[in-house]
Amino acid sequence: RMILTRQLQRQHFFILCLFCLLCLLPLLQGGLVPGGSCSTVIGYDGQAGLAKRRITALQHRLRGGGEKELAGKVLFDPKTRIFRLYSRSALYAFRTDDSGDLEHLYWGAFVPPNDDLRYLALSNVQLCFDPGPFNAYDVDLSDQDAAKHVRGTSFSEHFTRTPSFSDRLSTDGEWVHSIPSVGRNTKLLEYADLGTGDYRPQSFSVVYDDGGNICPLTYVSHEIIPGKLPMQSAKGKSLWSAENVTLLPELRGGDTNDQCTTLVVKMEDRLTKLEFDLIYTVYKEVNAISRRVIVKNPGMRPNGNFVCKGGCIMSSGAVRLEKLMSATVDFHTMSGWNFITLSGSWANERHMKLQELVQGKFVVESLRGASSHQHNPFCAVTTTPRSMVETVGEVWAFSIIYSGNFKIEADVSETGRARVNAGINPSTFSWHLPPGDSFESPECVMVYSNTGLEGMSHSFHDLYRRYLIPERFFGTVPPVLLNTWEAMYFDVNHAKVVELARAASELGVEMIVLDDGWFGEREDATSSLGDWFEDRRKFPGGLPALVHDVNALGLKFGIWVEPEMVNVKSRLYREHPSWTLNQHGRKSRCEGRNQLVLDFTCEDVCSYVIGKLGELLSSSNIEYMKWDMNRHLTEVYGNTRAPDKQGEVFHRYMIGVYKVLKYLNEKFPHVRIETCSGGGGRFDPGMLFFSPQIWASDNTDVFSRMAIQHGTSLVYPLQSIGSHMTAVPNHQTQRLSTLKARFLVSAFGTFGLELDVRTLCESDKYELSRYIAKYKELAPVILSGRFYRLWSPCRMRDQQAYAWMCTSGGSAEHGISAVVAVFLTKMEPGHHLPRLRLRGLEEDENYVIEEIFPNKAKRNPSTGQIELSGGAPQWQLGNQKVHMSGATLMSIGLPIRLSFDGDCCAFVLTRARGVTGSRQV
């Protein structure tokens, strides 16, 4: 027996080895199993097909294949009814279940389309008090006509009949349970209605003209479209042409249709025939998906009125939208949900906040008529702790392309599952939808990363640079400008501006921007907003004469405006007091910064602003416009809107603003627009669609700006972050900082100046001119490169320090491979900084690390005093230049020695061709 047993074991071992060899042979040969294309491995095709799928999946995993071939594609398997949306290296999957619901399955790292993901629905375990499935039911014979509308067509008739999932599980011999039939509160859903068993925050809410708000959605059909499907229903009457134009900002799809794919899933309420189009666009080069929703009220419902059993009549009239989220994502239970937002206040915007999500609901929102200083229309969820989340773990992020009132809500149920909704804030929204009309939500961008916040930021930066910011500014470096605001405030005139421009030109400045105080009779913040014509007392020759003199110095010219506002003390208000947001007849109102808000829902207001700004930009060679907004909305009532449509005013106001910005972009493409709202009060993707840069904050203090720009970089590329050097003591905080620190912080953005350079001493002028020249050299890498947040205070236990790095990638401008800057915000005596490990380099490449603008400060060993100047350069690495391999720089790092609050250093890396090993130069 023992001999026989050993022989059988040898035979089994031989058969197993032979099978493994046959499986791996194609892989070792570098080939694929014949017929192993994406289309042939979708769905169930028996035991042979299962074996082939396993082999192909093994090949993909071992060879790293599959991701590139599927990136930017949408696959639909009619047998399993699973939709798979593939981005660069991620998968988003959902299915239509037997009830016609869209059930969310998975959003995460790339998985080949081989496995039947319906097994994930086995996680749907119904709890006590959870409602059961939402099913059709039989009614009295007298109500058969109504029941016909209730039941509609059987959902299974939409698809070819295939074996049930339980049949296939039994055939495969792998599973013993079938998918349970459960109610909506138990499922993970793609879009959730109100009142049919799902008690979590709904995706939408409608009210029919009979008062009913039940609107269960059922799958009808879908369409897969190459490229990006442009917005269809977010339209309005154009003020400058006879055609309708799209007014909401949105991502572009690229020059060719192979850069993304769009999926449109059509759903409807079978009784009322109200239609919902869920629109997904998945991108090839980034791990991003955009989502939006179109609601259509059919022109005439099939059989007129519907008579309910109780005698009530639901007519085929108007519908009122009370809530419409752009995106809903349900997540299955995970351990330790963390919620990341960008929050703050005026002069302290967009600080990264991370907090634990527990059972209940957490909301970030704006009700101010702008995206606000307080909360940015962004959030991310992760299960990674704060200390590791920069580079480790999965992150799921949401960013709304909208500049008005928004809401992002994260709800954790008793089961540990989480739901995220993102879209227009329903608290100030109600939209009248008559028969034959439609409404389209703003777009929401969803990004997945399995390399922490760093991977998330890279995806957002790549996406917004390429597909959101106006194309004509892609890869460009904005001119180094000097803004007159902190140099002169309201006290501007022709002679002073030309004098300032002359001094600036000697330092290398490329543009002068005339800020507030140039128009009407503007002496302070109490008058003249709305009167967009030059003050001839200050500018006798008008703006054309000033622009001519500035251009003669070799400088470009820019102008500041605040088109959305009006002062009571102005010609415009005296002539048109009804043009403001305020209910006529009320004798009380709020003023902010002595100004009122113009009613941009009114066509006359938009026409006036377009006319004035068009006249302004046509009169002179103006190449830059700063569009400001220095108060938020109150008393929001549109006097040109019907009483039952006042819920539309906030959204229509934003459409009016977009309308004017779109006109400026199309009519004056040579003008670079920078938007602003009391600093960073409207720093959002909606504004980036029209302006390549946004003023990050009215606070230009170095220490404050580090945190502001650090947080802003989570979502927004550096080329969009308006950042200027200013005087010290700082005008907002009265803090002191070195000229070098102010330069380096502002260099990681759209570098500019906001100080009176006429008052600088000669040594400061010389130093500043060197900084400006160096910025022009580094800007292509900083603004268009890949950004890394190497250090931040929240991740350093003993020290308060930031470290930023930009890499150029394969095609380095001017031979520069990377730029690194380190800032110490708070010195702790007796503590050392850790070595700075770089990221984003090539391990087997050798680099020259050159320190720029070295410190001369050092501590006197005899007295302990830090002596700031007069000594020799204190090189961080012992010399100005050092050769080092990428592997060493990333694994071991650089020693950093900084001495005082605000101390900083910077390095430029270039490739050292033909050099091996580390050495000093």
Side-chain angles (χ1 to χ4, degrees):
R1 283 191 196 134
M2 292 179 61
I3 294 174
L4 180 60
T5 300
R6 288 171 183 166
Q7 288 177 343
L8 290 172
Q9 288 175 343
R10 291 192 191 100
Q11 290 175 357
H12 290 163
F13 180 77
F14 175 79
I15 293 171
L16 179 61
C17 290
L18 181 61
F19 178 79
C20 291
L21 180 62
L22 291 173
C23 291
L24 292 175
L25 185 59
L27 176 63
L28 297 174
Q29 293 174 342
L32 288 172
V33 173
S37 65
C38 302
S39 59
T40 60
V41 299
I42 296 175
Y44 171 80
D45 51 3
Q47 293 290 344
L50 179 62
K52 181 172 68 176
R53 291 200 307 275
R54 287 172 176 162
I55 295 170
T56 305
L58 177 62
Q59 292 170 344
H60 279 310
R61 293 186 181 106
L62 293 179
R63 296 176 65 245
E67 297 181 17
K68 185 175 181 180
E69 294 84 353
L70 293 175
K73 291 182 171 57
V74 175
L75 305 181
F76 174 70
D77 180 359
K79 295 182 179 180
T80 61
R81 305 197 295 262
I82 294 177
F83 296 91
R84 290 177 171 88
L85 287 70
Y86 283 99
S87 54
R88 181 177 182 178
S89 58
L91 168 64
Y92 186 95
F94 61 92
R95 71 167 186 137
T96 55
D97 67 12
D98 291 337
S99 300
D101 294 333
L102 293 187
E103 182 181 9
H104 180 77
L105 295 173
Y106 174 77
W107 182 21
F110 173 85
V111 177
N114 308 319
D115 297 319
D116 189 340
L117 298 181
R118 289 182 297 174
Y119 82 97
L120 295 171
L122 295 170
S123 299
N124 296 334
V125 179
Q126 186 164 316
L127 304 180
C128 292
F129 285 88
D130 270 359
F134 187 74
N135 294 325
Y137 61 94
D138 290 329
V139 295
D140 296 339
L141 186 62
S142 60
D143 290 333
Q144 283 184 351
D145 290 338
K148 180 171 59 178
H149 292 288
V150 173
R151 288 195 299 268
T153 304
S154 173
F155 177 70
S156 62
E157 293 180 15
H158 287 291
F159 301 99
T160 303
R161 172 62 182 163
T162 58
S164 70
F165 187 59
S166 57
D167 293 339
R168 286 168 54 177
L169 293 178
S170 301
T171 303
D172 290 348
E174 298 181 13
W175 316 97
V176 293
H177 301 291
S178 63
I179 294 179
S181 178
V182 295
R184 287 175 171 168
N185 201 59
T186 311
K187 298 178 182 179
L188 302 176
L189 298 174
E190 282 295 300
Y191 213 64
D193 66 285
L194 171 69
T196 61
D198 189 349
Y199 296 117
R200 296 164 293 183
Q202 72 272 20
S203 308
F204 71 97
S205 177
V206 302
V207 178
Y208 294 106
D209 52 7
D210 71 338
N213 62 0
I214 305 300
C215 184
L217 299 184
T218 304
Y219 170 90
V220 175
S221 64
H222 71 272
E223 184 178 6
I224 298 174
I225 304 167
K228 177 74 158 48
L229 181 67
M231 282 194 165
Q232 303 172 22
S233 302
K235 298 178 182 292
K237 184 179 179 182
S238 170
L239 295 179
W240 58 94
S241 70
E243 299 178 358
N244 280 354
V245 293
T246 299
L247 297 177
L248 282 181
E250 62 173 321
L251 293 176
R252 297 182 297 273
D255 298 329
T256 58
N257 284 339
D258 63 348
Q259 297 180 39
C260 59
T261 303
T262 298
L263 168 66
V264 181
V265 180
K266 296 184 179 297
M267 305 188 77
E268 72 173 10
D269 178 345
R270 289 187 174 178
L271 176 63
T272 66
K273 301 304 177 183
L274 191 66
E275 302 172 11
F276 286 70
D277 287 354
L278 308 188
I279 302 176
Y280 305 73
T281 299
V282 60
Y283 283 82
K284 178 179 181 180
E285 298 297 331
V286 290
N287 285 328
I289 296 172
S290 72
R291 287 184 61 177
R292 65 185 194 270
V293 180
I294 300 177
V295 184
K296 302 176 182 178
N297 190 1
M300 173 58 75
R301 297 193 177 101
N303 295 310
N305 296 340
F306 300 112
V307 181
C308 303
K309 184 175 180 179
C312 62
I313 297 178
M314 177 179 288
S315 76
S316 55
V319 174
R320 190 170 72 249
L321 292 177
E322 298 284 331
K323 180 179 183 179
L324 189 70
M325 294 287 102
S326 301
T328 293
V329 176
D330 284 350
F331 297 88
H332 187 56
T333 305
M334 295 189 191
S335 177
W337 286 113
N338 288 319
F339 194 60
I340 298 171
T341 59
L342 295 175
S343 304
S345 64
W346 173 80
N348 201 32
E349 300 91 338
R350 289 175 305 286
H351 286 240
M352 182 186 128
K353 308 289 186 182
L354 184 148
Q355 47 203 314
E356 181 183 1
L357 285 179
V358 296
Q359 183 176 344
K361 184 163 65 174
F362 186 88
V363 174
V364 291
E365 64 179 351
S366 173
L367 297 170
R368 295 169 175 261
S371 50
S372 85
H373 306 83
Q374 287 70 25
H375 297 291
N376 198 258
F378 157 82
C379 82
V381 292
T382 182
T383 57
T384 307
R386 176 190 295 271
S387 61
M388 302 171 62
V389 73
E390 180 64 30
T391 58
V392 175
E394 293 184 295
V395 174
W396 298 267
F398 302 79
S399 175
I400 308 172
I401 305 179
Y402 190 59
S403 309
N405 292 346
F406 73 92
K407 183 174 186 175
I408 299 176
E409 53 189 359
D411 178 86
V412 179
S413 69
E414 72 276 23
T415 64
R417 287 179 163 184
R419 168 172 292 173
V420 175
N421 284 332
I424 293 177
N425 198 321
S427 298
T428 55
F429 172 81
S430 177
W431 197 269
H432 178 78
L433 201 64
D437 203 356
S438 59
F439 179 86
E440 189 161 13
S441 75
E443 203 163 42
C444 179
V445 176
M446 309 190 323
V447 163
Y448 169 78
S449 167
N450 59 4
T451 55
L453 294 176
E454 185 173 279
M456 177 203 76
S457 295
H458 292 168
S459 291
F460 274 125
H461 293 185
D462 292 345
L463 186 76
Y464 286 169
R465 275 195 296 238
R466 185 178 304 180
Y467 299 110
L468 182 65
I469 292 173
E471 288 181 273
R472 63 187 184 278
F473 297 113
F474 180 78
T476 63
V477 175
V480 176
L481 64 83
L482 190 154
N483 186 292
T484 64
W485 179 241
E486 289 196 15
M488 300 178 178
Y489 289 105
F490 296 100
D491 188 20
V492 293
N493 61 43
H494 184 109
K496 287 183 177 180
V497 174
V498 172
E499 183 185 6
L500 183 66
R502 183 175 292 108
S505 66
E506 296 172 356
L507 303 177
V509 171
E510 299 167 308
M511 174 183 281
I512 289 292
V513 176
L514 178 58
D515 208 279
D516 202 348
W518 62 268
F519 52 91
E521 298 177 354
R522 184 84 157 172
E523 299 292 347
D524 52 35
T526 64
S527 76
S528 301
L529 284 176
D531 299 341
W532 300 115
F533 49 87
E534 56 268 75
D535 185 344
R536 291 285 178 164
R537 300 170 303 166
K538 299 179 180 181
F539 302 96
L543 285 181
L546 176 63
V547 174
H548 176 272
D549 288 352
V550 170
N551 289 164
L553 295 170
L555 300 180
K556 298 178 179 181
F557 185 86
I559 196 77
W560 176 95
V561 293
E562 194 173 359
E564 298 165 68
M565 303 295 156
V566 63
N567 288 121
V568 173
K569 187 179 176 182
S570 69
R571 181 185 300 179
L572 177 63
Y573 186 79
R574 287 195 299 270
E575 295 176 357
H576 300 285
S578 63
W579 280 8
T580 60
L581 286 174
N582 188 41
Q583 189 172 14
H584 292 173
R586 290 192 176 273
K587 302 301 183 181
S588 58
R589 65 188 178 199
C590 299
E591 291 187 23
R593 202 173 178 255
N594 307 292
Q595 57 199 54
L596 302 174
V597 183
L598 289 172
D599 183 359
F600 267 64
T601 71
C602 175
E603 292 288 344
D604 290 340
V605 170
C606 292
S607 297
Y608 171 82
V609 173
I610 283 174
K612 285 298 181 182
L613 296 184
E615 180 182 341
L616 174 66
L617 294 177
S618 300
S619 67
S620 308
N621 184 28
I622 297 174
E623 300 179 71
Y624 167 100
M625 173 179 282
K626 184 174 182 179
W627 176 307
D628 210 341
M629 178 200 188
N630 281 313
R631 67 155 292 180
H632 290 146
L633 278 57
T634 59
E635 294 83 52
V636 179
Y637 191 92
N639 290 287
T640 62
R641 315 305 306 174
D644 62 344
K645 297 182 180 179
Q646 290 302 312
E648 302 176 5
V649 172
F650 270 106
H651 184 62
R652 288 190 181 275
Y653 175 91
M654 205 64 251
I655 289 177
V657 173
Y658 288 151
K659 186 181 296 185
V660 178
L661 284 167
K662 184 178 179 66
Y663 165 79
L664 295 176
N665 273 270
E666 293 182 350
K667 186 70 173 180
F668 305 98
H670 65 286
V671 176
R672 178 183 287 264
I673 300 174
E674 177 173 321
T675 57
C676 172
S677 178
R682 201 160 60 183
F683 202 121
D684 56 66
M687 285 291 116
L688 281 184
F689 181 79
F690 303 100
S691 58
Q693 59 203 61
I694 304 173
W695 185 230
S697 177
D698 279 346
N699 188 346
T700 55
D701 172 71
V702 160
F703 299 93
S704 300
R705 269 300 184 118
M706 291 179 201
I708 292 168
Q709 293 177 207
H710 191 91
T712 303
S713 72
L714 259 68
V715 184
Y716 304 99
L718 299 193
Q719 75 172 76
S720 69
I721 301 175
S723 181
H724 294 171
M725 292 179 63
T726 54
V728 291
N730 180 265
H731 290 199
Q732 289 78 46
T733 66
Q734 288 297 301
R735 281 195 287 235
L736 299 174
S737 57
T738 65
L739 198 61
K740 174 184 172 183
R742 283 175 276 154
F743 160 68
L744 286 178
V745 171
S746 58
F748 281 79
T750 62
F751 174 76
L753 308 178
E754 202 145 338
L755 71 166
D756 192 346
V757 295
R758 299 171 300 175
T759 63
L760 296 178
C761 65
E762 291 303 315
S763 62
D764 282 351
K765 287 182 180 179
Y766 172 71
E767 185 179 355
L768 183 55
S769 67
R770 293 179 63 211
Y771 292 150
I772 293 173
K774 179 58 69 173
Y775 174 77
K776 294 176 183 178
E777 178 186 342
L778 304 180
V781 176
I782 293 175
L783 300 184
S784 298
R786 181 137 287 187
F787 181 61
Y788 296 87
R789 295 174 293 268
L790 304 180
W791 284 350
S792 72
C794 69
R795 302 198 309 272
M796 301 182 69
R797 183 180 59 186
D798 299 323
Q799 296 283 357
Q800 298 286 312
Y802 290 95
W804 299 335
M805 177 179 179
C806 291
T807 62
S808 62
S811 56
E813 290 281 346
H814 309 296
I816 297 174
S817 297
V819 179
V820 181
V822 188
F823 310 92
L824 182 62
T825 62
K826 184 180 180 181
M827 172 61 183
E828 294 290 347
H831 287 264
H832 295 306
L833 288 168
R835 295 189 181 103
L836 179 66
R837 294 178 178 176
L838 307 187
R839 296 202 289 272
L841 303 176
E842 297 181 28
E843 289 189 353
D844 56 353
E845 188 67 66
N846 285 286
Y847 296 90
V848 175
I849 305 98
E850 178 185 4
E851 185 174 356
I852 57 174
F853 309 118
N855 292 340
K856 293 186 178 181
K858 65 176 182 179
R859 189 178 298 276
N860 187 318
S862 300
T863 64
Q865 179 185 9
I866 296 175
E867 299 172 350
L868 295 180
S869 61
Q874 302 297 304
W875 304 109
Q876 298 288 329
L877 307 179
N879 209 339
Q880 182 177 5
K881 294 182 181 180
V882 174
H883 288 276
M884 205 73 66
S885 70
T888 297
L889 293 170
M890 292 190 291
S891 298
I892 300 177
L894 301 175
I896 301 297
R897 297 167 292 159
L898 300 177
S899 304
F900 55 89
D901 294 2
D903 198 4
C904 55
C905 61
F907 308 90
V908 174
L909 278 67
T910 55
R911 296 178 187 272
R913 300 296 184 184
V915 177
T916 58
S918 63
R919 64 184 180 88
Q920 294 183 340
V921 179

